[in-house]
Amino acid sequence: MSNFRFQEPKSLTAGLRNAVENVDKLNPEEPALPAYLSAPRRRLRAAVRRFCTSPLINLLLSPEVYGKQYGEELLQLSAASPFPGAYIVVANHSSHLDAPMLFALLPSEITARLATGAAADYFYKNRVVAALTSLFFNTYPVKRHRQPENLATPNSGAPNPASPNPAAPSDANKKIPGFSEQLLRAGVPILLFPEGTRSRSGKLGEFHSGAAALAQQLEIPILPVAMRGGRDAMPVGAKFPKLGKNPVEMHIGQPLLGQPGETATDFTARLKEAIATLIGADIEG
């Protein structure tokens, strides 16, 4: 059993110290579900977003966000679902800036409880890095474990622990069994990148079907989000963003629900088309 405890911080500095002190309890073998339901942690993340993440993104980038009006529709659909509060944010992936941009630029009511996965052997080896990653992105540790494509679980499309990105998904990785589903059943929304890796060409790659399968199984909505400009601001291989106010765009789409008789593959294709349409993206293949 996890012995996670997170007390109400008296300040942002105290909260960061608390996060570091609790990082040893973020067990890759047994994530602590109560940590993702913690109101103090949620309030601390809101403070981090307000005073750290958002100012930094706005310092480095020149962002434009479209479609914020769909946030209310998403929350209404989620509230009417069998698991109120649960939904899946799905976005295209071309840069290490993608996750920070999503957490900083999406409406706060969408990101307040949003969780995503992080490679246990990359982000959870160092206590400070693990604490900050967990705090900034509400991550849960995922064990890096390769498996053949034909052994992919129904949750494929969940975060890919083989990628340094805290939210990258893949069908070819064995994650902590069912933890994404546990979070959703507890009313905690999750972020997934269904391409599984950053696009080297800038075109949309293959979408894995895990997000669609989870959404269909639990009867919860998916929010498609399309991002443009992150790859130019911080290309694959770059350790830091380019200097200057690099222009980036985030396009939030209308929430999607699975349709009667629709397969996960068909739902995935519909989701990919929605994202491609939002940014006028080319599709590989």
Side-chain angles (χ1 to χ4, degrees):
M1 291 290 293
S2 168
N3 58 348
F4 178 89
R5 294 291 185 274
F6 192 90
Q7 299 177 346
E8 185 76 57
K10 295 181 179 180
S11 67
L12 181 56
T13 301
L16 292 171
R17 186 182 304 114
N18 193 328
V20 172
E21 290 172 352
N22 277 278
V23 72
D24 288 336
K25 300 179 180 67
L26 298 174
N27 184 355
E29 300 290 346
E30 184 188 356
L33 185 59
Y36 303 91
L37 304 174
S38 166
R41 273 178 59 103
R42 186 164 65 249
R43 287 190 284 269
L44 182 57
R45 284 198 308 275
V48 168
R49 169 190 168 120
R50 179 179 178 183
F51 296 110
C52 299
T53 315
S54 293
L56 184 60
I57 288 293
N58 283 282
L59 176 66
L60 295 172
L61 307 172
S62 179
E64 295 285 348
V65 182
Y66 305 91
K68 289 184 179 181
Q69 70 273 17
Y70 292 122
E72 183 177 352
E73 181 179 349
L74 172 72
L75 298 180
Q76 289 175 349
L77 289 172
S78 176
S81 76
F83 303 98
Y87 48 84
I88 303 175
V89 176
V90 169
N92 61 305
H93 193 23
S94 64
S95 171
H96 281 321
L97 287 174
D98 292 339
M101 286 194 299
L102 284 160
F103 277 89
L105 299 178
L106 281 172
S108 58
E109 60 269 22
I110 294 177
T111 60
R113 300 180 70 182
L114 190 66
T116 190
D121 64 344
Y122 188 92
F123 285 100
Y124 286 82
K125 290 175 64 177
N126 180 284
R127 295 178 75 243
V128 174
V129 172
L132 294 178
T133 302
S134 176
L135 178 60
F136 279 53
F137 302 109
N138 200 26
T139 59
Y140 51 97
V142 182
K143 291 186 68 178
R144 190 196 310 256
H145 215 34
R146 289 288 178 183
Q147 64 176 350
E149 185 74 21
N150 61 357
L151 295 182
T153 68
N155 287 349
S156 298
N160 174 8
S163 169
N165 190 287
S170 173
D171 277 356
N173 288 277
K174 183 179 180 181
K175 65 176 193 63
I176 298 168
F179 195 67
S180 293
E181 184 177 336
Q182 290 180 46
L183 288 169
L184 292 168
R185 288 182 178 274
V188 178
I190 62 174
L191 164 66
L192 299 178
F193 292 127
E195 290 168 280
T197 187
R198 290 167 295 161
S199 171
R200 267 58 176 174
S201 67
K203 298 180 180 180
L204 285 181
E206 177 187 357
F207 273 32
H208 300 293
S209 60
L214 269 176
Q216 288 178 315
Q217 177 186 345
L218 302 179
E219 301 179 38
I220 59 174
I222 289 180
L223 182 72
V225 179
M227 293 183 292
R228 181 194 295 274
R231 177 172 170 267
D232 294 330
M234 188 174 179
V236 174
K239 293 185 178 180
F240 302 99
K242 295 178 181 178
L243 295 177
K245 299 279 286 186
N246 299 283
V248 295
E249 296 177 4
M250 175 180 291
H251 298 261
I252 303 169
Q254 187 169 13
L256 301 176
L257 291 168
Q259 298 177 347
E262 186 177 41
T263 66
T265 299
D266 290 341
F267 190 8
T268 300
R270 186 158 57 92
L271 175 61
K272 183 176 182 178
E273 182 179 0
I275 291 177
T277 300
L278 284 170
I279 54 173
D282 294 323
I283 299 176
E284 292 183 351

